Amino acid sequence: MSAPDRASTEGGEDGRRVVSAYGVAMPRIIYGTAWKKERTASLVEMALRAGFRGIDTACQPKHYHEPGVGEGLAAPLREGLRRSDIYLQTKFTSFQGQDPDTVPYDPKAGLAEQVRQSFKASLRNLRTDYLDGLVLHSPYPDDKDTLEVWRAMEGLHEQGLVRQLGISNCYELGRLERLCGQARFKPALIQNRFHAKTRYDRDIRVFCGNKGILYQSFWTLTANPEILAQPALVEIAEKHGRSPAQVFFRFLTQKNIVCLTGTSSREHMAQDLAIFEFRLSPAECTVLDALLDGAGQS
């Protein structure tokens, strides 16, 4: 059994959410919680109060403070925000990606059991009884191990504990194709660093578009200071009375890319959410696409 090869918009192209092939509504801009440490709870709460309705985290104490995400969610939920209004996704991280002193599961257990233990920890940390998305943080060097972990994730989906599955840091199209070919439930999303070194994953994004897989970008601003400073982009931003960052995010959302932002600034949170107040013309998008093409070939 697998999802249909399509994803759809909610509220038209200018809508703030896109619906995955599994029927899960996902905000087009999601708040990322990596590297927040002791500030995680306050920043997640600030993001929710600003209007964010998508949160990304990971069961990886090395880079994320997942219990802080649960703490940040708690107050808005007590005050009337509904859990069903929030898209909440976390990640299973292999032992190789963990700090050996803070692994959230038994590293001597089999891979499938590691997934189950990590997932239970995430539910406790996030104070929820289900997740909207569970993402494999990175494929394993051996496809056999990747598939074993994926099968365990599929089991959680089949139990109704997680609504959809995804994969992150997967930059080889062949590996994504093989996973999709073997999976009972193919990825609903892929989350990758969006930068020139990988030519902005153009081949992967074409494949995703054909297969109904949503593409999430991270390090979207951090990895692209040269793009943000390009005169052509700055000119478009000035025309719309917006910042270069807002124009870049709006451009990507119009290309059906779901963007992660990890800002700790209340002002920037408001600006990120305001990108749906304007729309770029096809001609402006062509200009910006050319900037990505040029950067991807350098």
Side-chain angles (χ1 to χ4, degrees), residues 62-87:
K62 180 179 180 180
H63 294 154
Y64 294 79
H65 183 40
E66 200 177 48
V69 175
E71 182 181 346
L73 284 163
L77 288 173
R78 283 196 303 268
E79 294 168 10
L81 182 65
R82 296 180 303 176
R83 170 66 181 86
S84 59
D85 290 334
I86 303 169
Y87 176 82

Side-chain angles (χ1 to χ4, degrees), residues 16 28-32 50-52 221 242-250 253 259-278:
R16 292 173 180 260
R28 292 182 184 274
I29 190 159
I30 290 176
Y31 189 67
F52 279 91
L221 300 182
R242 305 287 175 168
S243 71
Q246 285 178 301
V247 167
F248 196 47
F249 275 146
R250 189 63 181 115
T253 60
C259 299
L260 270 67
T261 177
T263 182
S264 58
S265 161
R266 191 186 307 271
E267 178 185 2
H268 289 165
M269 287 181 184
Q271 290 177 353
D272 292 344
L273 292 168
I275 64 171
F276 303 102
E277 296 172 359
F278 70 101

Side-chain angles (χ1 to χ4, degrees), residues 9-266:
T9 60
E10 184 171 277
E13 284 191 40
D14 293 324
R16 292 173 180 260
R17 300 194 294 179
V18 60
V19 180
S20 78
Y22 287 86
V24 177
M26 181 189 304
R28 292 182 184 274
I29 190 159
I30 290 176
Y31 189 67
T33 60
W35 304 102
K36 302 294 188 289
K37 298 185 179 179
E38 70 280 353
R39 300 180 301 155
T40 300
S42 61
L43 288 173
V44 167
E45 183 174 349
M46 183 191 299
L48 290 169
R49 295 191 186 285
F52 279 91
R53 291 296 178 263
I55 304 292
D56 172 85
T57 187
C59 197
Q60 183 201 32
K62 180 179 180 180
H63 294 154
Y64 294 79
H65 183 40
E66 200 177 48
V69 175
E71 182 181 346
L73 284 163
L77 288 173
R78 283 196 303 268
E79 294 168 10
L81 182 65
R82 296 180 303 176
R83 170 66 181 86
S84 59
D85 290 334
I86 303 169
Y87 176 82
L88 183 59
Q89 72 179 25
T90 193
K91 306 179 191 76
F92 167 75
T93 307
S94 71
F95 178 72
Q96 288 72 24
Q98 301 279 2
D99 178 341
D101 295 328
T102 59
V103 183
Y105 50 78
D106 180 2
K108 296 180 181 179
L111 293 178
E113 180 60 23
Q114 290 178 15
V115 172
R116 289 188 286 268
Q117 290 180 12
S118 177
F119 186 76
K120 288 180 181 178
S122 289
L123 293 183
R124 288 195 302 271
N125 291 338
L126 298 170
R127 310 182 190 188
T128 186
D129 57 4
Y130 75 97
L131 287 171
D132 299 290
L134 178 62
V135 177
L136 173 57
H137 213 154
S138 181
Y140 284 73
D142 190 326
D143 283 350
K144 179 176 70 68
D145 293 333
T146 298
L147 185 60
E148 183 176 350
V149 166
W150 194 262
R151 290 283 185 252
M153 292 168 60
E154 288 177 323
L156 296 170
H157 174 65
E158 289 176 311
Q159 293 174 57
L161 297 172
V162 59
R163 299 176 69 200
Q164 63 182 21
L165 308 177
I167 188 166
S168 182
N169 294 297
C170 182
Y171 302 100
E172 299 175 41
L173 177 56
R175 303 201 73 184
L176 181 59
E177 289 175 328
R178 290 193 295 274
L179 176 60
C180 288
Q182 296 175 300
R184 294 197 305 272
F185 297 95
K186 75 167 184 286
L189 65 98
I190 181 171
Q191 182 190 112
N192 276 354
R193 182 181 286 108
F194 195 72
H195 61 164
K197 184 177 179 181
T198 59
R199 297 190 65 250
Y200 298 102
D201 282 338
R202 284 193 176 273
D203 292 345
I204 287 175
R205 287 192 286 118
V206 168
F207 176 81
C208 289
N210 290 335
K211 293 295 183 179
I213 300 170
L214 292 172
Y215 184 95
Q216 292 182 354
S217 68
F218 71 92
W219 275 32
T220 315
L221 300 182
T222 305
N224 293 289
E226 295 86 0
I227 293 288
L228 294 172
Q230 286 291 322
L233 189 151
V234 172
E235 182 180 345
I236 293 171
E238 290 175 347
K239 173 185 171 184
H240 286 274
R242 305 287 175 168
S243 71
Q246 285 178 301
V247 167
F248 196 47
F249 275 146
R250 189 63 181 115
F251 164 63
L252 296 178
T253 60
Q254 286 183 217
K255 292 178 70 67
N256 226 29
I257 292 174
V258 174
C259 299
L260 270 67
T261 177
T263 182
S264 58
S265 161
R266 191 186 307 271

